[in-house]
């Protein structure tokens, strides 16, 4: 029995993710659970959804009772479509039901095109202390190709408004865009670095299933061009004193995303809102949950005071070891070897064979204290992860 369900001596940090599924326009590359508000109505059902989120949190309390939140993250969709009053109501309920750690990081995603100076001052007053802005590119041509609703001027204006109200700001950028050259990619990252924000995320555009781009693929740079762009981004950010601490993340000293670090170090997170995912640890099990995905169904269940959890399953020991590695090996500095047992309940010897193979192939280095990917392992991250998947199986 014990081998089937390894025990945890202590529970990891807990984060809260709040999903707001509406956006102005669905982008052709986006596979998130997001829904355009144009069409049937030009407004999201804000009050009704806020009430549903609070109900969701109340239902979930039994799973996380007495635990403190280390971070809160409003994602979407475009959470900044909601008014500051709605965000304030949600955060007041959060603070009432679950204690926040002192100086907890509270992030909100926002898109240019939803920026009004007063609104963002009010978000700050409500308790948001970190902003993540979906810029994607500063090039008008590329913004158009990506189906974004904002132009380059609105992108600059958004950063300007954000900097007046927040001292902790992330910019999301994408590279390997349709028709993008190395020179154009360099201009984007140089612009982002010049704006003095604390954090930059630079993602390789990938064609995800169930997106318009997947059905009608645009002409994208090839693998060699994309790799050259990645190299250039790493060099440019380093020159501007940003540390590349995770595959796609670059931070000024001490400004790493605490919320995302908790994901990557296999911490716990409670996800509320339509389609939100949770990972919650108990002494004798780790469970994953997903909320009802369609906003209408989610709201109907909340209004009827029914459970909002659509699926729940317990992680097997093999799931635990693979998922830990899948997340932690994204960190360029790797992880403390003792953390593996702390977060999975399994001894590090459970993956010793795979660690040895990865080291033999030059993808990873490890000793008794630290395990981290090599430069080669970072470049071929999927190959590195495959070693752990093949050996343990994820089911």
């Amino acid at each position: 029995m014990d081998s089937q369900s390894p025990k945890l001596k202590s529970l990891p940090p807990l984060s809260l993710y709040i999903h707001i599924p509406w956006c102005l326009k669905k982008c052709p590359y986006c596979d998130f659970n997001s829904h355009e508000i144009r069409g049937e109505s030009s407004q999201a059902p804000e009050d009704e959804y806020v009430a549903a989120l609070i109900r969701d949190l109340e239902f979930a309390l039994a799973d996380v009772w007495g635990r403190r939140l280390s971070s809160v993250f409003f994602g979407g969709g475009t959470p900044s479509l909601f008014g500051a009053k709605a965000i304030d109501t949600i955060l007041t309920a959060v603070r009432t039901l679950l204690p926040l750690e002192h100086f907890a990081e509270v992030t909100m995603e926002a898109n240019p095109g939803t920026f009004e100076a007063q609104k963002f001052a009010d978000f700050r007053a409500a308790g948001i202390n970190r902003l993540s802005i979906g810029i994607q590119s500063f090039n008008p041509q590329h913004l158009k190709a990506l189906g974004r609703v904002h132009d380059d001027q609105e992108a600059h204006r958004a950063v300007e408004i954000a900097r007046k109200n927040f001292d902790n700001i992330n910019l999301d950028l994408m590279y390997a865009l349709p028709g993008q050259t190395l020179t154009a990619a360099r201009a984007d990252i140089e612009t982002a670095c010049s704006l003095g924000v604390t954090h930059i995320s630079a993602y390789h555009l990938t064609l995800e299933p169930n997106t318009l781009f997947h059905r009608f693929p645009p002409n994208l740079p090839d693998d060699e061009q994309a790799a050259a762009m990645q190299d250039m981004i790493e060099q440019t950010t380093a020159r501007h004193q940003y540390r590349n601490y995770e595959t796609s993340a670059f931070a000024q000293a001490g400004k790493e995303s605490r919320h995302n670090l908790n994901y990557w170090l296999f911490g716990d997170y409670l996800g509320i809102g339509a389609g939100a995912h949770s990972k919650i640890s108990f002494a004798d099990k780790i469970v994953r949950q997903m909320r009802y995905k369609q906003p209408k169904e989610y709201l109907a269940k909340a209004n009827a005071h029914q459970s909002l959890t659509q699926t729940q399953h317990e992680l097997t020991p093999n799931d635990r070891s693979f998922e830990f590695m899948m997340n932690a090996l994204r960190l360029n500095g790797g992880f403390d070897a003792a953390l593996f047992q702390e977060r999975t309940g399994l001894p590090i010897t459970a993956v010793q064979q795979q660690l040895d193979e990865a080291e033999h192939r030059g993808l990873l280095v490890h000793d008794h204290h630290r395990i981290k990917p090599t430069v080669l392992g970072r470049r071929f991250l999927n190959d590195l992860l495959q070693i752990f998947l093949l050996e343990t199986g994820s089911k």
Side-chain angles (χ1 to χ4, degrees):
M1 180 68 187
D2 278 351
S3 66
Q4 284 307 304
S5 104
K7 303 286 188 284
L8 295 180
K9 287 182 180 167
S10 62
L11 299 180
L14 176 69
S15 294
L16 175 65
Y17 174 78
I18 301 167
H19 191 72
I20 295 179
W22 291 281
C23 55
L24 288 173
K25 180 172 175 263
K26 183 81 170 172
C27 296
Y29 58 83
C30 177
D31 70 336
F32 294 140
N33 183 31
S34 57
H35 304 263
E36 279 190 32
I37 55 171
R38 289 176 182 168
E40 55 192 83
S41 72
S42 60
Q43 237 179 335
E46 200 167 298
D47 293 343
E48 188 187 0
Y49 193 72
V50 168
L53 285 172
I54 294 169
R55 203 159 289 150
D56 195 346
L57 187 57
E58 288 168 345
F59 283 150
L61 278 183
D63 287 340
V64 293
W65 188 250
R67 295 177 66 180
R68 297 176 82 82
L69 293 174
S70 59
S71 62
V72 179
F73 194 103
F74 287 86
T78 305
S80 53
L81 283 173
F82 272 27
K85 185 171 174 288
I87 300 302
D88 186 43
T89 302
I90 296 165
L91 284 174
T92 299
V94 169
R95 289 188 204 99
T96 305
L97 297 168
L98 282 170
L100 260 70
E101 282 180 10
H102 207 41
F103 301 120
E105 180 187 87
V106 185
T107 304
M108 173 190 269
E109 288 184 335
N111 281 334
T114 63
F115 271 76
E116 300 151 30
Q118 186 56 52
K119 188 180 188 181
F120 278 79
D122 292 343
F123 283 147
R124 183 67 204 249
I128 303 294
N129 56 28
R130 183 175 182 271
L131 210 58
S132 181
I133 311 173
I135 299 283
Q136 315 316 353
S137 175
F138 290 97
N139 182 310
Q141 196 182 330
H142 293 136
L143 287 169
K144 206 169 177 185
L146 289 172
R148 302 297 286 172
V149 295
H150 68 273
D151 59 22
D152 54 321
Q153 287 177 317
E154 284 175 305
H156 282 281
R157 173 92 179 115
V159 178
E160 193 183 309
I161 292 173
R163 290 200 64 197
K164 282 180 182 158
N165 296 288
F166 297 87
D167 51 14
N168 201 0
I169 299 167
N170 169 64
L171 299 185
D172 274 350
L173 291 180
M174 297 175 96
Y175 67 93
L177 305 178
Q180 190 179 40
T181 61
L182 183 62
T183 305
R186 180 178 282 111
D188 269 349
I189 198 71
E190 287 281 7
T191 300
C193 290
S194 73
L195 293 170
V197 295
T198 49
H199 195 284
I200 295 169
S201 302
Y203 301 104
H204 186 301
L205 174 63
T206 50
L207 303 184
E208 302 289 355
N210 306 315
T211 63
L212 193 66
F213 272 4
H214 195 263
R215 288 199 297 277
F216 306 100
N219 185 22
L220 299 177
D222 61 28
D223 289 347
E224 206 173 302
Q225 291 169 308
M229 289 179 192
Q230 187 179 350
D231 279 339
M232 177 275 300
I233 288 167
E234 289 171 7
Q235 288 165 22
T236 305
T237 49
R239 206 172 62 248
H240 287 272
Q241 312 303 312
Y242 290 90
R243 187 173 76 88
N244 182 197
Y245 68 100
E246 185 270 344
T247 305
S248 308
F250 307 83
Q252 288 181 353
K255 295 296 186 180
E256 296 83 4
S257 165
R258 280 187 267 157
H259 186 85
N260 287 344
L261 274 173
N262 192 39
Y263 285 155
W264 293 319
L265 290 171
F266 209 52
D268 279 358
Y269 48 93
L270 171 63
I272 60 171
H277 291 255
S278 302
K279 176 215 160 225
I280 303 172
S281 301
F282 301 85
D284 59 347
K285 63 181 176 179
I286 300 175
V287 299
R288 285 202 175 277
Q289 302 172 337
M290 189 186 86
R291 300 299 190 251
Y292 283 93
K293 198 171 179 182
Q294 283 298 328
K296 280 182 181 170
E297 189 177 12
Y298 176 84
L299 287 169
K301 295 276 181 191
N303 290 334
H305 292 264
Q306 293 173 350
S307 170
L308 296 166
T309 302
Q310 184 170 17
T311 62
Q312 175 168 314
H313 73 276
E314 197 173 318
L315 298 188
T316 65
N318 283 347
D319 290 336
R320 294 186 191 196
S321 60
F322 174 67
E323 290 189 18
F324 179 96
M325 289 298 181
M326 182 178 71
N327 286 288
L329 288 174
R330 291 183 64 89
L331 293 169
N332 293 347
F335 59 92
D336 188 329
L339 196 70
F340 180 83
Q341 180 152 6
E342 197 181 305
R343 298 283 155 95
T344 66
L346 301 160
I348 193 70
T349 50
V351 288
Q352 193 62 51
Q353 192 185 332
Q354 297 93 300
L355 289 171
D356 292 344
E357 186 192 335
E359 186 158 48
H360 177 70
R361 286 168 57 179
L363 300 172
L364 174 147
V365 287
H366 77 287
D367 55 27
H368 294 302
H369 304 294
R370 198 147 194 89
I371 296 166
K372 69 176 190 175
T374 59
V375 173
L376 189 68
R378 284 156 53 185
R379 277 287 173 271
F380 296 95
L381 187 59
N382 287 340
D383 293 345
L384 172 54
L385 297 179
Q386 194 70 24
I387 294 169
F388 294 92
L389 179 61
L390 284 173
E391 294 290 337
T392 65
S394 69
K395 292 290 175 211

